[in-house]
């Protein structure tokens, strides 16, 4: 199955558009996707879960 990954295309500070490939399931690349993206949310949740685990262990 050939998946065609779209390009990020986010505006860069230099005035161009990002040439990185967008992450699968998102419309932005790893650099430009925000915390609202599925990838970012999953990452944040994982980090929060780790923090909670540490807090529980301290008790
Ligand atoms: Zn990008």
């Amino acid at each position: 199955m050939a998946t065609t990954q779209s390009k990020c295309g986010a505006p860069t500070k230099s005035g161009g558009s990002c040439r990185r490939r967008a992450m699968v399931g998102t419309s932005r690349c790893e650099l430009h996707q925000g915390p609202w993206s599925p990838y970012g949310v999953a990452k944040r949740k994982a980090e929060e879960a780790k923090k909670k685990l540490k807090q529980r262990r301290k008790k």
Side-chain angles (χ1 to χ4, degrees):
M1 192 171 135
T3 52
T4 51
Q5 271 184 284
S6 57
K7 284 182 182 175
C8 173
T12 57
K13 286 178 183 176
S14 54
S17 57
C18 182
R19 288 180 185 175
R20 289 171 69 97
R21 280 183 192 168
M23 300 283 289
V24 176
T26 69
S27 57
R28 286 287 182 264
C29 73
E30 197 176 7
L31 286 178
H32 292 113
Q33 63 185 336
W36 56 86
S37 70
Y39 181 81
V41 169
K43 202 175 174 184
R44 255 171 51 199
K45 276 187 181 177
E47 280 176 7
E48 280 175 16
K50 270 188 185 178
K51 281 181 186 175
K52 279 184 183 176
L53 274 177
K54 278 186 182 176
Q55 282 173 354
R56 279 181 191 169
R57 278 178 189 170
K58 275 184 183 176
K59 238 183 183 181

